[in-house]
Amino acid sequence: MSRSPLTLEALLVLDVIDRKQSFAAAAQALFKVPSAVSYTVNKLEQDLGVELYDRKGRRAELTAAGRLLLEQGRQILRASDLLTSQLRQFASGWEPELTIALDGVCDSRWIYPLIDEFNALQTQTEIHLISEVLGGSWESVRDGRATLAIGAGGEVIPGVDKYPMGKIPFVFAVAADHPLSRESAPLGPEQLREYPMVVVSDSSQSLPARSSGLLDGQPRLYVPSMSEKIRAQCQGVGVGFLPHHLIKFELERGDLVLREVADPKLPQTHYLIWPQGGAGKALQWFIERLKQKRWEQLLAISG
């Protein structure tokens, strides 16, 4: 495989020539003699076998090939600068990026002030937010899709460190005009089986899919997120248990009503989870901040 004649130094020379609008000014900015700048350009043209500058006029102008090389070369220079910065950052203990998975039970509004506080540290760590549901939250950390998951509930899996953030209460809710809103309570299994249960699809890719609050023989409507489950139940196309903190507005507005059921869903413990031995400074910063909070504090701003 032949070695490319393109070097970061040559790309930098082209970039400075364009920004300074002359070979002489570029040489001064680069602390070089003009002949050294001209030599770099001529050698690059010779090695590539293309003309980068049209020298017929009073001033050399970039050819189409030269403009293409300049534009693409600037992307390479930016990528090089970013990589250098990330390597220096990595050496200092700050991760180049941190992916945070928010479980479907989370109201994402409270995470942004925390991210804003982190950004004020100017660490250059990029934060990526993703959404997961049920087993997907655990799996995302175990399999490396996320470095931190917030709100993971259900059965604990091995291979991750965890911290219990508290219990989330679930309530049975139906649309205000749904037939179940008029039946005598507590609602029994025989009454619930007549209507579709709205279920948020488990986002795990390899773990067995999880579900909760389902009755054998009951029709089901699978939706991709908790927000879609709430919307579907407000429209009356199904029923089911919902995190109480996520439907305060719908309850106050009268879109949903609570119904007592014979077999209620108990409050579930939800966890903050991260890889075992995770030691990056950004990860540790978020873990420590989140350990200082409880779900009742976070849920208080919802609705």
Side-chain angles (χ1 to χ4, degrees):
M1 182 177 178
S2 60
R3 184 177 179 180
S4 172
L6 294 177
T7 65
L8 293 177
E9 180 182 5
L11 295 175
L12 178 62
V13 167
L14 294 180
D15 174 62
V16 178
I17 291 172
D18 185 68
R19 287 191 288 107
K20 297 297 183 180
Q21 292 297 298
S22 78
F23 280 51
Q28 185 177 6
L30 293 168
F31 301 101
K32 296 177 180 289
V33 296
S35 60
V37 172
S38 296
Y39 173 80
T40 299
V41 174
N42 293 336
K43 183 69 167 57
L44 188 58
E45 288 180 318
Q46 179 181 345
D47 292 342
L48 290 173
V50 297
E51 288 189 354
L52 301 176
Y53 286 91
D54 184 350
R55 299 174 175 82
K56 295 176 183 177
R58 296 181 59 184
R59 191 178 69 173
E61 298 285 347
L62 281 168
T63 62
R67 178 60 59 182
L68 175 63
L69 179 58
L70 175 65
E71 293 174 353
Q72 297 297 318
R74 280 174 170 163
Q75 294 185 32
I76 295 173
L77 289 173
R78 286 192 290 270
S80 175
D81 289 342
L82 177 60
L83 178 58
T84 300
S85 175
Q86 288 177 338
L87 287 172
R88 289 172 178 167
Q89 184 175 332
F90 187 80
S92 71
W94 292 99
E95 307 92 306
E97 62 180 43
L98 182 75
T99 300
I100 300 174
L102 294 178
D103 191 87
V105 298
C106 293
D107 183 336
S108 62
R109 285 177 292 179
W110 60 263
I111 192 69
Y112 295 111
L114 193 63
I115 292 175
D116 191 47
E117 181 183 349
F118 176 78
N119 288 339
L121 300 177
Q122 298 184 331
T123 67
Q124 297 185 10
T125 298
E126 291 185 350
I127 304 298
H128 298 254
L129 293 181
I130 62 174
S131 297
E132 296 288 351
V133 178
L134 296 171
S137 294
W138 297 92
E139 184 187 83
S140 68
V141 172
R142 187 200 66 179
D143 294 352
R145 292 200 305 273
T147 320
L148 178 68
I150 303 172
E155 184 180 351
V156 175
I157 68 169
V160 300
D161 284 334
K162 64 184 184 301
Y163 178 81
M165 298 190 72
K167 294 181 180 290
I168 294 182
F170 284 76
V171 293
F172 192 84
V174 300
D177 59 354
H178 193 278
L180 286 180
S181 68
R182 299 183 293 273
E183 293 197 21
S184 59
L187 303 175
E190 65 285 350
Q191 295 166 289
L192 302 184
R193 282 195 187 95
E194 296 184 24
Y195 304 98
M197 180 73 75
V198 185
V199 182
V200 182
S201 299
D202 192 314
S203 64
S204 61
Q205 300 175 14
S206 60
L207 290 174
R210 301 179 182 184
S211 59
S212 60
L214 299 179
L215 299 172
D216 290 339
Q218 184 176 22
R220 302 168 188 177
L221 168 64
Y222 286 92
V223 294
S225 66
M226 188 63 73
S227 60
E228 287 302 316
K229 176 175 166 65
I230 294 171
R231 185 172 291 112
Q233 291 186 211
C234 285
Q235 294 292 322
V237 297
V239 299
F241 292 95
L242 291 166
H244 188 251
H245 68 281
L246 292 183
I247 59 170
K248 288 182 179 179
F249 177 73
E250 287 76 11
L251 292 172
E252 291 173 358
R253 195 169 60 180
D255 296 334
L256 291 174
V257 294
L258 301 183
R259 298 309 323 271
E260 181 186 358
V261 293
D263 187 16
K265 184 174 182 178
L266 299 177
Q268 293 185 341
T269 299
H270 288 256
Y271 298 88
L272 179 69
I273 61 173
W274 61 93
Q276 288 182 341
K281 287 185 178 180
L283 173 60
Q284 292 302 317
W285 187 93
F286 275 96
I287 290 173
E288 291 306 314
R289 290 300 189 280
L290 287 165
K291 280 185 175 181
Q292 296 169 13
K293 300 179 182 294
R294 303 296 296 178
W295 275 115
E296 50 266 28
Q297 293 175 283
L298 301 178
L299 305 186
I301 69 169
S302 301

